[in-house]
Amino acid sequence: MSDMIVNLSKDQRVSLTKRSDDFQNLRVGLSWDAPKEPVNGFQFDLDASVLILDPNGKCHGSKNFIFYGNPESACGAIKCGKDSLDGAGEGDDEQITLKRARLPETAAILRYVVSIHDAKERGHDFGQVKNASFRIEDIDTGKTLLRFSLTDDYKPETGVVMADIYREDGNWKVRAVGQGYREGLQGVLAEAGLLIG
Protein backbone atom coordinates (compact mmCIF):
# COMPACT_ATOMS: atom_id res chain seq x y z
CA MET A 1 0.00 0.00 0.00
CA SER A 2 1.39 3.40 -1.00
CA ASP A 3 1.46 6.30 1.47
CA MET A 4 1.18 8.88 -1.31
CA ILE A 5 -2.07 10.77 -1.78
CA VAL A 6 -3.48 10.29 -5.28
CA ASN A 7 -4.80 13.53 -6.81
CA LEU A 8 -7.50 12.46 -9.22
CA SER A 9 -8.48 14.14 -12.46
CA LYS A 10 -12.05 14.24 -13.74
CA ASP A 11 -13.40 10.80 -14.71
CA GLN A 12 -10.26 9.04 -13.41
CA ARG A 13 -10.87 5.68 -11.74
CA VAL A 14 -8.61 4.05 -9.17
CA SER A 15 -8.77 0.99 -6.93
CA LEU A 16 -9.60 1.93 -3.37
CA THR A 17 -8.86 -1.58 -2.17
CA LYS A 18 -5.26 -1.29 -3.41
CA ARG A 19 -4.86 2.12 -1.77
CA SER A 20 -5.84 0.83 1.68
CA ASP A 21 -5.38 -2.84 2.52
CA ASP A 22 -8.72 -4.31 3.66
CA PHE A 23 -10.14 -0.91 4.61
CA GLN A 24 -13.17 -0.97 6.89
CA ASN A 25 -13.92 2.61 7.87
CA LEU A 26 -13.65 5.64 5.64
CA ARG A 27 -14.23 9.34 6.08
CA VAL A 28 -15.22 11.35 3.03
CA GLY A 29 -14.48 15.04 3.44
CA LEU A 30 -16.08 17.62 1.18
CA SER A 31 -15.01 21.25 1.12
CA TRP A 32 -15.75 24.45 -0.77
CA ASP A 33 -15.47 28.24 -0.56
CA ALA A 34 -18.74 30.10 -1.05
CA PRO A 35 -18.97 33.90 -1.40
CA LYS A 36 -18.55 35.59 1.97
CA GLU A 37 -20.99 38.34 1.09
CA PRO A 38 -24.65 37.71 0.25
CA VAL A 39 -25.45 37.18 -3.45
CA ASN A 40 -28.84 38.57 -4.54
CA GLY A 41 -29.50 39.25 -0.86
CA PHE A 42 -28.92 35.65 0.30
CA GLN A 43 -26.02 33.84 1.93
CA PHE A 44 -24.90 30.64 0.25
CA ASP A 45 -25.95 27.34 1.85
CA LEU A 46 -24.31 24.21 0.44
CA ASP A 47 -25.11 20.65 1.46
CA ALA A 48 -23.31 17.33 1.10
CA SER A 49 -25.28 14.12 0.59
CA VAL A 50 -24.81 10.54 -0.57
CA LEU A 51 -27.03 8.09 -2.44
CA ILE A 52 -26.81 4.31 -2.05
CA LEU A 53 -27.44 2.88 -5.52
CA ASP A 54 -27.94 -0.57 -7.01
CA PRO A 55 -25.81 -1.85 -9.95
CA ASN A 56 -28.15 -0.02 -12.35
CA GLY A 57 -27.61 3.32 -10.64
CA LYS A 58 -31.03 3.40 -8.99
CA CYS A 59 -31.85 4.41 -5.42
CA HIS A 60 -34.48 2.33 -3.63
CA GLY A 61 -36.33 4.48 -1.12
CA SER A 62 -35.57 7.69 0.74
CA LYS A 63 -33.72 5.80 3.50
CA ASN A 64 -30.93 5.30 0.95
CA PHE A 65 -30.58 9.06 0.50
CA ILE A 66 -28.39 10.36 3.33
CA PHE A 67 -28.24 14.11 4.04
CA TYR A 68 -28.75 16.57 6.93
CA GLY A 69 -32.46 15.64 7.13
CA ASN A 70 -31.72 11.89 7.17
CA PRO A 71 -28.18 11.77 8.60
CA GLU A 72 -27.76 7.99 8.84
CA SER A 73 -28.61 5.17 6.44
CA ALA A 74 -31.03 2.47 7.59
CA CYS A 75 -28.21 -0.09 7.43
CA GLY A 76 -26.00 2.06 9.67
CA ALA A 77 -23.16 2.10 7.12
CA ILE A 78 -23.23 5.79 6.22
CA LYS A 79 -23.51 8.77 8.54
CA CYS A 80 -23.37 12.51 7.87
CA GLY A 81 -21.48 14.80 10.22
CA LYS A 82 -22.04 18.50 10.87
CA ASP A 83 -23.89 20.67 8.35
CA SER A 84 -21.73 23.62 7.29
CA LEU A 85 -23.66 26.44 5.68
CA ASP A 86 -21.01 28.63 4.11
CA GLY A 87 -17.78 26.64 3.81
CA ALA A 88 -15.94 29.04 6.13
CA GLY A 89 -12.61 28.00 7.65
CA GLU A 90 -9.95 25.48 6.70
CA GLY A 91 -10.29 21.72 6.15
CA ASP A 92 -13.45 19.75 5.49
CA ASP A 93 -16.73 21.63 5.49
CA GLU A 94 -18.78 18.45 5.79
CA GLN A 95 -17.87 14.83 6.44
CA ILE A 96 -19.62 11.55 5.71
CA THR A 97 -18.37 8.33 7.30
CA LEU A 98 -18.62 4.84 5.83
CA LYS A 99 -18.53 1.50 7.67
CA ARG A 100 -18.03 -0.98 4.86
CA ALA A 101 -19.08 -4.08 6.84
CA ARG A 102 -22.59 -2.68 7.31
CA LEU A 103 -23.32 -2.12 3.63
CA PRO A 104 -25.88 -4.56 2.20
CA GLU A 105 -24.88 -6.68 -0.78
CA THR A 106 -27.32 -4.71 -2.93
CA ALA A 107 -25.28 -1.52 -2.44
CA ALA A 108 -23.16 -1.22 -5.58
CA ILE A 109 -22.51 2.53 -5.87
CA LEU A 110 -22.18 5.29 -3.27
CA ARG A 111 -22.73 8.63 -5.03
CA TYR A 112 -21.43 11.75 -3.26
CA VAL A 113 -23.11 15.05 -4.10
CA VAL A 114 -22.72 18.72 -3.16
CA SER A 115 -25.72 20.96 -3.89
CA ILE A 116 -26.80 24.54 -3.27
CA HIS A 117 -29.90 24.99 -1.10
CA ASP A 118 -32.72 26.98 -2.76
CA ALA A 119 -30.33 27.86 -5.59
CA LYS A 120 -32.97 28.75 -8.19
CA GLU A 121 -34.92 31.00 -5.84
CA ARG A 122 -31.75 32.76 -4.66
CA GLY A 123 -30.00 33.04 -8.02
CA HIS A 124 -27.01 30.99 -6.85
CA ASP A 125 -24.91 28.53 -8.86
CA PHE A 126 -21.60 26.68 -8.74
CA GLY A 127 -19.93 29.30 -10.92
CA GLN A 128 -19.84 31.38 -7.73
CA VAL A 129 -18.29 28.59 -5.63
CA LYS A 130 -14.51 28.12 -5.48
CA ASN A 131 -12.12 25.35 -4.41
CA ALA A 132 -14.68 22.55 -4.20
CA SER A 133 -12.94 19.26 -3.41
CA PHE A 134 -13.49 15.68 -2.27
CA ARG A 135 -11.10 13.52 -0.25
CA ILE A 136 -11.13 10.01 1.19
CA GLU A 137 -9.45 9.17 4.49
CA ASP A 138 -8.93 5.74 6.04
CA ILE A 139 -10.21 6.35 9.57
CA ASP A 140 -8.25 3.47 11.09
CA THR A 141 -4.88 4.71 9.80
CA GLY A 142 -5.69 8.44 9.68
CA LYS A 143 -4.26 8.67 6.16
CA THR A 144 -5.83 10.60 3.32
CA LEU A 145 -5.82 8.26 0.32
CA LEU A 146 -7.39 10.20 -2.54
CA ARG A 147 -8.30 13.76 -3.41
CA PHE A 148 -10.28 15.33 -6.26
CA SER A 149 -10.71 19.07 -6.88
CA LEU A 150 -13.19 20.64 -9.28
CA THR A 151 -11.48 22.70 -11.97
CA ASP A 152 -14.22 23.16 -14.60
CA ASP A 153 -16.54 26.15 -14.77
CA TYR A 154 -19.86 24.95 -13.30
CA LYS A 155 -22.01 27.96 -14.09
CA PRO A 156 -25.08 27.59 -14.20
CA GLU A 157 -25.13 24.21 -12.43
CA THR A 158 -26.57 24.11 -8.90
CA GLY A 159 -25.51 20.60 -7.90
CA VAL A 160 -22.42 18.50 -8.61
CA VAL A 161 -21.82 14.76 -8.30
CA MET A 162 -18.31 14.81 -6.85
CA ALA A 163 -17.42 11.12 -6.88
CA ASP A 164 -18.64 7.53 -6.82
CA ILE A 165 -17.31 4.79 -4.58
CA TYR A 166 -18.36 1.53 -6.25
CA ARG A 167 -17.87 -2.24 -6.35
CA GLU A 168 -16.39 -3.92 -9.41
CA ASP A 169 -15.30 -7.54 -9.63
CA GLY A 170 -15.14 -7.83 -5.85
CA ASN A 171 -13.03 -4.69 -5.43
CA TRP A 172 -13.96 -1.21 -4.28
CA LYS A 173 -13.02 1.61 -6.63
CA VAL A 174 -13.40 5.37 -6.82
CA ARG A 175 -14.40 7.46 -9.82
CA ALA A 176 -13.88 11.22 -9.78
CA VAL A 177 -17.10 12.32 -11.47
CA GLY A 178 -17.37 16.13 -11.45
CA GLN A 179 -20.74 16.17 -13.25
CA GLY A 180 -22.88 19.26 -12.80
CA TYR A 181 -26.68 19.46 -12.80
CA ARG A 182 -28.67 22.59 -13.58
CA GLU A 183 -31.58 21.09 -11.64
CA GLY A 184 -29.30 20.64 -8.63
CA LEU A 185 -29.99 17.86 -6.19
CA GLN A 186 -33.41 17.19 -7.69
CA GLY A 187 -31.71 16.36 -10.99
CA VAL A 188 -29.40 13.87 -9.33
CA LEU A 189 -32.28 12.27 -7.42
CA ALA A 190 -34.48 12.05 -10.53
CA GLU A 191 -31.70 10.32 -12.46
CA ALA A 192 -31.49 7.77 -9.65
CA GLY A 193 -35.24 7.20 -9.76
CA LEU A 194 -35.92 8.96 -6.46
CA LEU A 195 -38.31 11.91 -6.35
CA ILE A 196 -38.52 13.90 -3.11
CA GLY A 197 -40.45 17.08 -2.39
Side-chain angles (χ1 to χ4, degrees):
M1 179 181 66
S2 172
D3 289 336
M4 293 181 60
I5 298 173
V6 174
N7 289 298
L8 303 176
S9 55
K10 186 175 179 179
D11 207 36
Q12 185 177 357
R13 301 165 191 255
V14 297
S15 171
L16 185 57
T17 307
K18 290 180 181 178
R19 297 297 308 165
S20 184
D21 298 334
D22 193 33
F23 76 88
Q24 293 299 319
N25 303 295
L26 296 179
R27 177 180 292 111
V28 170
L30 299 117
S31 60
W32 55 79
D33 293 329
K36 295 180 180 179
E37 299 299 323
V39 175
N40 299 323
F42 297 98
Q43 293 284 359
F44 264 69
D45 178 2
L46 284 82
D47 299 306
S49 57
V50 60
L51 289 159
I52 301 176
L53 308 177
D54 69 14
N56 297 314
K58 298 303 179 183
C59 183
H60 298 278
S62 59
K63 288 294 184 180
N64 290 314
F65 168 43
I66 301 92
F67 68 114
Y68 65 86
N70 177 43
E72 185 169 358
S73 62
C75 61
I78 298 175
K79 187 174 182 179
C80 286
K82 64 183 177 69
D83 177 23
S84 171
L85 299 180
D86 56 10
E90 299 296 321
D92 299 332
D93 292 306
E94 295 191 19
Q95 296 180 341
I96 302 174
T97 56
L98 165 64
K99 295 183 178 180
R100 185 176 69 162
R102 295 188 180 182
L103 281 174
E105 284 298 318
T106 53
I109 305 167
L110 309 178
R111 179 153 293 163
Y112 291 83
V113 184
V114 177
S115 55
I116 303 172
H117 184 67
D118 286 344
K120 183 177 180 180
E121 295 79 1
R122 299 178 180 184
H124 293 172
D125 64 60
F126 263 92
Q128 301 156 318
V129 176
K130 307 298 181 186
N131 303 318
S133 67
F134 170 99
R135 74 179 186 93
I136 297 178
E137 174 190 341
D138 187 321
I139 293 175
D140 298 318
T141 65
K143 294 178 180 177
T144 295
L145 308 172
L146 307 166
R147 188 182 302 276
F148 170 55
S149 299
L150 297 184
T151 56
D152 292 351
D153 181 4
Y154 285 91
K155 181 180 179 62
E157 276 82 355
T158 61
V160 178
V161 173
M162 297 292 288
D164 288 342
I165 296 177
Y166 64 99
R167 301 187 210 232
E168 185 177 82
D169 299 327
N171 293 313
W172 284 96
K173 297 184 178 182
V174 178
R175 175 190 170 211
V177 180
Q179 180 179 346
Y181 288 77
R182 293 191 181 192
E183 305 84 2
L185 182 59
Q186 289 296 332
V188 180
L189 295 177
E191 187 175 89
L194 187 64
L195 300 176
I196 295 180

